[in-house]
Amino acid sequence: MIDAIGVGLDGASGLSAAARRLISEATVLVGSDRHLNYFAEHPAKRLVLNDISQTFQQISNCLDSDAIVILVSGDPLFFGLGRLLLGYFPAEQLRFHPHVSSIQLAFSRLKLPWQDARTISVHGRSFDRLVELLQKGESPIAVLTDPVHSPSAIAHLLQQLDLPSTYQLYICENLGGMDERIHTCSWKEAIGRTFAALNVTILVRQPSQPSTASVLPIIGIPDGQFYSFADRPGLITKREVRLLILGELGLSENQTIWDIGAGTGSVAVEMARLSPTSRIYAIEKTAAGIGLIEQNARHFQVSNIISIQGMAPQALRQIPPPDRVFIGGTGDALSTVLACAVASLLPGGKVVMALATVEHLHEAIAWLNRHNLFYRLLQVQLSRSIPVGRFTRYTPLNPVTILTIGE
């Protein structure tokens, strides 16, 4: 029988009586140098976990005659050695004795509930999963790090991602040890700093408080400067896609513009700043969205956005006919919204749609073909650079098809 026993930085003193008894009766002790040093006076044969395959073979040779204890950190089955043990030895030859995990200790020290936490390991892994969670705005996120994917590297990643929300970092070092420390900082404060090798990094998304650059660009406002949905911070038309949409719209002065399914109002704000003499009607079905549109209008000091809460196409019938229409969302009413927009369009006008699903794209094309209308498509597949240790690679944004109707 092999007993895999979790040990904390407090060593033998933190173990249960049952775990200490199993260790005292062991004739073979297996573990890292650090774990074995907690039991320096133990008379058992010692196997150091360096080459795992070789060590597992040595354990196999001892199974019939020895009482084997493997010392590991925390919970063996939580990003630990347990998965590898189960892949090598039959389950009936293994018993697991978990200690409090470093993740549990971290949240208890921070006094944060963690039943909804996302927990990942970047120890010897890429940042891919962390990027995915950050782009979705998940919180809290607990990260087990390594020397390459360190807290400083995570901070650099946050800098590069240009997220629509900000995260507070809690770096918990040497949890359970005498030199336990917890640092609370922003990504700016964590970049370039060195932390203890044994650490857990907790990322907690902060309430939407967009930053404001001292000088805003004429177009292409960074995503992080908009107020966004608290529960869906990634639900915003991304900066690069907004630039392409604005190019397709071809705005002029003194126009009437509809923004249907305006969401947070990111496209409406860009249009309002580019054409301050135009009137932009931002139609959004949710009260939360209307609140964000109005917040962002105030934030960017534009006064030519008229927000309208309602469902399209019903909400479109009471507003002036448009020179330009941007359709960012239609729900299940794509064809009827499209029909209303095209029918209402003034001579020389344009309709631009941003389509994220194949089904909506097919529905729009089918409707346009039935009515013999000219259109063009722009498929947008963009990637942003992110750091990977000392290197850089690309992470993709969600593909979007921009459909333009009109001259």
Side-chain angles (χ1 to χ4, degrees):
M1 183 61 68
I2 301 168
D3 288 288
I5 298 177
V7 184
L9 288 181
D10 49 0
S13 64
L15 295 174
S16 67
R20 289 198 297 271
R21 178 180 54 78
L22 287 170
I23 293 170
S24 69
E25 294 172 355
T27 56
V28 176
L29 274 184
V30 185
S32 67
D33 285 325
R34 177 169 65 86
H35 290 132
L36 291 173
N37 285 339
Y38 290 138
F39 305 94
E41 306 302 320
H42 199 293
K45 178 182 178 182
R46 306 161 83 81
L47 299 177
V48 181
L49 266 172
N50 290 325
D51 183 321
I52 288 178
S53 296
Q54 181 181 350
T55 304
F56 282 6
Q57 182 57 53
Q58 292 174 302
I59 293 171
S60 294
N61 296 337
C62 302
L63 264 176
D64 292 336
S65 56
D66 286 288
I68 301 166
V69 167
I70 302 177
L71 303 171
V72 299
S73 295
D75 184 344
L77 293 172
F78 184 75
F79 294 109
L81 193 67
R83 178 178 60 85
L84 296 177
L85 287 169
L86 287 166
Y88 193 94
F89 298 98
E92 56 270 19
Q93 292 182 338
L94 296 163
R95 291 186 301 206
F96 295 100
H97 309 269
H99 194 272
V100 175
S101 73
S102 57
I103 301 294
Q104 287 175 288
L105 282 174
F107 280 106
S108 68
R109 298 295 192 264
L110 298 175
K111 301 176 184 177
L112 287 176
W114 67 291
Q115 65 271 10
D116 297 321
R118 300 289 186 167
T119 303
I120 63 169
S121 173
V122 294
H123 190 92
R125 299 171 169 88
S126 73
F127 273 142
D128 288 358
R129 179 61 176 151
L130 178 57
V131 169
E132 179 186 341
L133 294 175
L134 289 169
Q135 288 175 334
K136 290 180 179 178
E138 297 283 0
S139 180
I141 305 170
V143 187
L144 298 169
T145 68
D146 69 13
V148 173
H149 302 92
S150 64
S152 179
I154 292 170
H156 188 44
L157 177 70
L158 288 167
Q159 178 188 33
Q160 294 292 313
L161 283 177
D162 186 26
L163 297 168
S165 52
T166 58
Y167 280 85
Q168 183 84 1
L169 276 70
Y170 299 92
I171 296 108
C172 308
E173 300 179 306
N174 300 322
L175 289 165
M178 296 295 291
D179 54 347
E180 176 180 296
R181 293 182 300 275
I182 295 176
H183 307 273
T184 304
C185 53
S186 66
W187 64 259
K188 291 180 181 179
E189 295 166 329
I191 284 182
R193 289 179 61 180
T194 301
F195 298 93
L198 294 176
N199 74 77
V200 174
T201 300
I202 308 293
L203 295 94
V204 179
R205 182 162 54 84
Q206 301 301 292
S208 179
Q209 290 293 333
S211 59
T212 302
S214 56
V215 179
L216 284 171
I218 295 172
I219 58 173
I221 301 168
D223 297 344
Q225 294 188 20
F226 287 95
Y227 287 96
S228 58
F229 292 101
D231 58 338
R232 295 164 293 163
L235 193 63
I236 182 174
T237 303
K238 300 299 187 287
R239 173 178 177 271
E240 296 84 350
V241 178
R242 288 199 307 274
L243 291 171
L244 292 169
I245 289 166
L246 293 168
E248 288 296 301
L249 283 165
L251 302 177
S252 298
E253 294 297 320
N254 299 305
Q255 290 182 322
T256 298
I257 305 168
W258 293 359
D259 182 354
I260 302 171
T264 63
S266 62
V267 175
V269 165
E270 296 269 19
M271 293 191 291
R273 295 181 74 244
L274 272 179
S275 182
T277 59
S278 295
R279 291 169 300 163
I280 294 92
Y281 292 88
I283 298 95
E284 169 60 35
K285 66 181 180 180
T286 68
I290 291 294
L292 289 170
I293 293 165
E294 293 173 355
Q295 269 189 300
N296 282 317
R298 290 192 297 271
H299 183 58
F300 293 103
Q301 300 179 19
V302 291
S303 58
N304 54 332
I305 295 176
I306 301 100
S307 60
I308 299 172
Q309 185 178 354
M311 296 282 290
Q314 295 85 351
L316 306 176
R317 294 176 181 137
Q318 305 301 318
I319 56 179
D323 299 283
R324 296 289 186 269
V325 178
F326 171 61
I327 304 175
T330 61
D332 295 326
L334 187 148
S335 293
T336 54
V337 170
L338 190 53
C340 181
V342 170
S344 304
L345 203 61
L346 292 170
K350 283 185 184 180
V351 176
V352 175
M353 301 183 71
L355 300 158
T357 69
V358 172
E359 290 78 10
H360 278 159
L361 175 60
H362 286 174
E363 183 180 349
I365 291 174
W367 187 91
L368 291 164
N369 287 337
R370 284 197 304 271
H371 293 84
N372 297 312
L373 291 171
F374 170 79
Y375 63 89
R376 64 177 178 271
L377 302 172
L378 177 63
Q379 189 176 54
V380 182
Q381 294 180 300
L382 296 167
S383 297
R384 290 174 175 171
S385 65
I386 60 166
V388 182
R390 297 180 296 107
F391 302 99
T392 303
R393 70 167 183 79
Y394 293 102
T395 183
L397 301 177
N398 289 333
V400 176
T401 300
I402 300 174
L403 183 152
T404 302
I405 308 159
E407 299 177 0

